[in-house]
Amino acid sequence: MSTSTKRGSKGTGLQRKRTDKQSAICLQKVNVDHSDDEAIEKASAHRTATHQDSNSKPAVTKKRKQPTECFLSQPEEKQESTVKAKRRKKKKISDVLEKSAPKPGVPADLQNLLSQHFAENRSVIEIEELKLSDSCFLPANDLTHSFSSYLKEICPKWAKLRKNHKEEKSVVMLVICSSALRSLELIKSMTAFKGDCRVLKLFAKHIKIKEQISMLEKGVFHIGVGTPGRVKALVEQDGLCLNSTKYMILDWNWRDQKLRRMMDIPEIKKETIDLLEMSIIKLCREGSVKLGLF
């Protein structure tokens, strides 16, 4: 055989070997692909199986424990709560007046007020000395009078008293009320009674105490209308002398916008009692001054 034929047979052998190797590699790849496909199919089948199992099993929900509540249904505790609520609510004067009609003030009301005020810091003997007899009081207003008609009833000889009064730094009649505005109202409402007598305003609003003292020193006044605080200050400074005073009228029954009487206001109440204790009670016991509750 020639060399050319030998070379041709060798080349064909090499080509066969290469093709055999390539086919083996392809077979291996195919086997790998088949094994991968089988693994994927198995995994998917396992997933579907578990999914079906999860769907087939009922969903288990955790039950939350509801908090237990304590109910106190004892009637006694309810009554205690209502009692507490009632204690917190304070009674108003308007509520009291709605249930009962207002009653006119009487001398016993002033007597009780004085005894309650002095009971804490006074002895029995001192309280007895501050008591007023019924003869010290004028007839009280029964809520049917105007101020002028009431003054005419309690003081029928006013014209004579007015003419005889000529002393300075004093007044014949002293009217005590709760405010300056109320003082002006009373001065206007007494026109039918006062006649041509002189009336002096005895309150602190817009009027200095020095001006009132100078007016009392220079002129003669018959009626003084004002608040207890200013009247008390004038007496203390010797601007007003009560020795010539014959009547003292307390504006007892009148009520303000809050339905308070003058003795329902703590400040006015204290100043009025101080004024009474200062000199009025003594003059009443001596018989020179009469008290009236309008």
Side-chain angles (χ1 to χ4, degrees):
M1 293 176 71
S2 61
T3 57
S4 62
T5 56
K6 286 180 182 180
R7 288 174 182 173
S9 61
K10 285 180 181 179
T12 55
L14 290 168
Q15 288 177 357
R16 285 176 185 173
K17 286 179 180 180
R18 288 175 182 173
T19 53
D20 291 338
K21 286 180 180 180
Q22 288 176 356
S23 62
I25 290 165
C26 290
L27 286 171
Q28 287 176 0
K29 287 181 179 180
V30 169
N31 290 330
V32 170
D33 293 336
H34 282 297
S35 64
D36 292 338
D37 293 337
E38 288 176 358
I40 290 166
E41 287 178 358
K42 285 180 181 179
S44 63
H46 181 68
R47 286 175 185 172
T48 53
T50 53
H51 184 64
Q52 288 177 0
D53 291 338
S54 64
N55 290 331
S56 63
K57 291 180 181 179
V60 180
T61 57
K62 292 183 179 180
K63 293 183 178 180
R64 295 181 179 177
K65 291 183 180 180
Q66 295 182 354
T68 57
E69 296 181 357
C70 297
F71 295 97
L72 300 175
S73 59
Q74 296 180 359
E76 295 179 358
E77 294 184 357
K78 287 183 180 179
Q79 288 177 0
E80 288 178 1
S81 63
T82 53
V83 169
K84 287 180 181 179
K86 287 180 180 178
R87 284 176 184 173
R88 288 176 185 174
K89 187 178 179 182
K90 293 182 180 180
K91 287 185 178 180
K92 296 181 179 179
I93 299 174
S94 57
D95 297 335
V96 175
L97 289 176
E98 284 178 1
K99 295 179 181 178
S100 61
K103 296 179 180 179
V106 292
D109 295 335
L110 181 58
Q111 295 278 26
N112 294 331
L113 186 70
L114 293 173
S115 60
Q116 288 174 7
H117 180 77
F118 294 123
E120 297 179 358
N121 50 10
R122 299 297 174 92
S123 64
V124 180
I125 299 172
E126 289 175 339
I127 293 172
E128 286 292 329
E129 290 176 354
L130 293 170
K131 281 186 177 180
L132 297 170
S133 62
D134 293 338
S135 60
C136 299
F137 290 92
L138 296 164
N141 180 24
D142 56 357
L143 303 181
T144 59
H145 284 283
S146 66
F147 193 47
S148 288
S149 65
Y150 175 72
L151 294 179
K152 285 178 181 178
E153 181 182 349
I154 63 171
C155 186
K157 298 180 180 180
W158 173 248
K160 186 179 179 180
L161 288 171
R162 181 189 64 196
K163 288 179 181 178
N164 294 333
H165 178 68
K166 296 177 181 180
E167 296 180 11
E168 297 175 351
K169 297 176 63 176
S170 65
V171 291
V172 179
M173 182 179 292
L174 189 60
V175 182
I176 304 296
C177 50
S178 58
S179 66
L181 291 174
R182 178 59 180 166
S183 301
L184 295 174
E185 289 178 6
L186 290 175
I187 291 170
K188 289 179 182 178
S189 63
M190 67 167 65
T191 355
F193 168 77
K194 66 179 183 179
D196 58 349
C197 70
R198 299 184 68 187
V199 180
L200 182 62
K201 301 170 186 175
L202 300 177
F203 49 80
K205 192 172 184 180
H206 306 305
I207 305 173
K208 295 180 180 180
I209 192 168
K210 291 181 180 179
E211 295 178 2
Q212 291 170 339
I213 291 173
S214 64
M215 290 173 70
L216 285 164
E217 288 176 350
K218 294 176 182 178
V220 176
F221 292 91
H222 304 89
I223 302 174
V225 184
T227 54
R230 178 49 64 92
V231 173
K232 178 189 169 187
L234 287 168
V235 174
E236 288 174 343
Q237 296 184 25
D238 293 329
L240 178 64
C241 180
L242 299 177
N243 291 331
S244 300
T245 304
K246 302 297 180 185
Y247 302 98
M248 181 175 177
I249 312 299
L250 298 177
D251 189 25
W252 188 273
N253 297 301
W254 182 80
R255 297 181 184 271
D256 61 6
Q257 292 180 352
K258 296 181 181 179
L259 300 178
R260 299 175 303 177
R261 297 175 302 178
M262 63 179 294
M263 292 302 182
D264 295 327
I265 304 169
E267 183 181 357
I268 301 298
K269 174 184 172 182
K270 184 181 181 304
E271 291 173 347
T272 304
I273 293 175
D274 291 344
L275 178 62
L276 291 171
E277 185 186 6
M278 183 184 297
S279 55
I280 298 295
I281 291 177
K282 183 182 177 182
L283 293 172
C284 288
R285 290 172 69 91
E286 291 174 358
S288 60
V289 176
K290 298 286 184 181
L291 281 173
L293 304 180
F294 174 67

